[in-house]
């Protein structure tokens, strides 16, 4: 099936050519649908009908679409920007959008079942997944990059009291970070001293304590299907953008690591795929991939060596199941349980690519990571590239007709792999997309 979405009266052209994509031998890739606005999630109901979520990062109107007679129709909109994904369970669609999880019932009615999530900072709440014992699970991202509110946080002027909250009782060493005070522009030489886990301009004293929050920054949470009885599963993640159970009931999650920005920049942090164990701390804001940020490789070229913020570390952080290079920005993944498609139980994962903000004249780093589909060999615990543009760069850079921003991947009821590509960014802005450039790709075996 190849069709163009008819939801928009004006369709922005994006050159598409599957032959510009390298894919492992024995497979082929096709365009399934085009003309979408920054698609971010996909799910199927019991009747194998397809639903797609558009994030809202184009027009500010996130919406859920249903595939009907080879075209998409809007079935729900008016969510917070952005939608991060959708999931289906027992007759209802669960929509994750900034700060909320909303349940859409068969009759079209909807209910906000979880509200008040700390998602107004840099990262937000992830799509929902479901356990065999009837619980829903999701990730909650951190407010800041590395635990300190700084001048990299564009939301400071509108939300000056926003900060991160830990998932355990912690003691802080008490470092403070000095910046020009962006809340008092026009006053010369005015500076702000900001401590960890504190609002902008609020300094820390040595050995201050912070209490535990269930809905903590960088946590994995679970609840009943109606949103009641929220519990913390684990914390210490920076950006747990996607999580899912395998057939054995084991939970896996992605985590995108630090950037070299803000008051506490950290260089060369990996993006990590974790096997999740209940009740543990996974290292944020003091570890990357199981290693302390005090190691020399984490020192940015234009900044000091990072120091630890937490005096009492809850536990030794677990090592990742596998790690990806910095700027991979790993997103949606799925397990393959079709032996005719590929190795049974292996994971296929979408790499979105760099989200680093740039100034005029500074290029976004595209080389060596992201903008591809990778395969995780779950027995060998290795990562290999499964599909990538032949140039190695996103299509907007190389002028090819291949991948731009892969954001989600799933195996459909037909055992075919479907990939959501959010589309083309506005120049030098990874958070804004060109309308109607979102694509759904699909990958099949040559004999399918």
């Amino acid at each position: 099936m190849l069709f163009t979405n008819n939801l928009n009266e004006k369709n922005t052209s994006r050159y598409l050519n599957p032959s510009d994509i390298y894919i492992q031998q024995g497979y082929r890739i096709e365009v399934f649908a085009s003309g979408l606005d920054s698609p971010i999630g996909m799910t199927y109901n019991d009747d194998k009908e397809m639903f797609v979520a558009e994030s809202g990062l184009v027009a500010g109107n996130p919406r859920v679409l249903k595939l009907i007679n080879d075209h998409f129709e809007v079935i729900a909109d008016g969510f917070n920007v952005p939608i991060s994904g959708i999931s289906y369970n027992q007759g209802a669609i669960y929509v994750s959008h900034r700060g909320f999880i909303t349940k859409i019932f068969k009759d079209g009615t909807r209910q906000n079942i979880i509200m008040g999530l700390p998602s107004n900072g840099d990262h937000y709440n992830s799509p929902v997944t479901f356990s065999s014992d009837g619980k829903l699970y999701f990730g909650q991202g951190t407010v800041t990059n590395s635990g300190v509110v700084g001048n990299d946080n564009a939301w400071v002027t509108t939300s000056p009291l926003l900060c991160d909250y830990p998932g355990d009782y912690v003691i802080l060493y008490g470092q403070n970070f000095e910046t020009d005070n962006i809340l008092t522009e026009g006053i010369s030489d005015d500076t702000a001293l900001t401590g960890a886990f504190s609002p902008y301009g609020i300094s820390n004293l040595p050995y201050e304590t912070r209490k535990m929050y269930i809905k903590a920054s960088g946590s994995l949470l679970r609840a009943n299907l109606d949103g009641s009885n929220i519990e913390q599963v684990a914390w210490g993640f920076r950006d747990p953008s996607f999580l899912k159970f395998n057939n054995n009931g084991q939970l896996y999650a992605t985590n995108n690591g630090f950037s070299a920005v803000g008051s506490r920049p950290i260089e060369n942090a990996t993006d990590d795929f974790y096997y999740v164990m209940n009740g543990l701390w996974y290292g944020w804001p003091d570890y990357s991939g199981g290693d302390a940020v005090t190691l020399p490789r984490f020192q940015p070229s234009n900044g000091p060596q990072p120091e630890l913020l937490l005096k009492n570390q809850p536990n030794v952080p677990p090592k990742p199941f596998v790690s990806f290079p910095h700027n991979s920005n790993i997103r949606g993944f799925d397990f393959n349980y079709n032996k005719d498609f590929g190795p049974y139980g292996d994971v296929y994962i979408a790499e979105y690519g760099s989200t680093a903000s740039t100034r005029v004249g500074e290029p976004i780093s595209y080389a060596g990571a992201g903008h591809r589909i990778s395969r995780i060999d779950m027995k060998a615990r290795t990562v290999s590239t499964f599909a990538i543009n032949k140039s190695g760069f996103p299509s907007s850079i190389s002028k090819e007709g291949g991948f731009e921003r892969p954001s989600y991947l799933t195996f459909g009821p037909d055992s075919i792999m479907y990939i959501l590509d959010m589309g083309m960014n506005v120049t030098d802005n990874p958070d804004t997309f060109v309308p109607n450039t979102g694509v759904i790709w699909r990958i099949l075996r040559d004999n399918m």
Side-chain angles (χ1 to χ4, degrees), residues 318-393:
K319 290 284 190 179
F321 190 84
V322 294
S323 290
F324 291 75
H326 180 60
N327 280 336
S328 297
N329 209 320
I330 49 179
R331 298 287 181 98
F333 64 87
D334 204 357
F335 299 90
N336 172 50
Y337 294 118
N338 176 12
K339 292 180 179 179
D340 293 331
F341 185 89
Y344 188 86
D346 278 359
V347 167
Y348 294 82
I349 188 166
E351 294 190 31
Y352 182 87
S354 176
T355 58
S357 297
T358 62
R359 293 187 293 268
V360 174
E362 291 184 344
I364 296 174
S365 176
Y366 292 113
H371 311 281
R372 70 190 72 189
I373 304 302
S374 291
R375 179 174 71 89
I376 302 173
D377 185 322
M378 296 298 283
K379 293 180 180 178
R381 294 176 67 158
T382 57
V383 179
S384 61
T385 297
F386 180 66
I388 189 173
N389 290 345
K390 290 178 179 178
S391 70
F393 291 89

Side-chain angles (χ1 to χ4, degrees), residues 67-81:
L67 182 59
I68 301 174
N69 296 327
D70 290 351
H71 70 277
F72 286 108
E73 295 185 5
V74 179
I75 64 164
D77 60 4
F79 301 97
N80 288 342
V81 178

Side-chain angles (χ1 to χ4, degrees), residues 7 11 38 78 99 148 163 206 232 253 287 332 386 390 393 411 419 432:
L7 286 170
N11 190 36
S38 59
V148 181
C163 65
Q232 187 184 114
Y287 284 72
F386 180 66
K390 290 178 179 178
F393 291 89
F411 288 96
I419 300 160
T432 305

Side-chain angles (χ1 to χ4, degrees), residues 176-197:
N176 293 301
F177 300 82
E178 184 175 355
T179 61
D180 293 334
N181 194 334
I182 58 176
L183 297 181
T184 58
E185 288 186 8
I187 300 178
S188 61
D189 300 324
D190 190 27
T191 60
L193 279 180
T194 305
F197 295 95

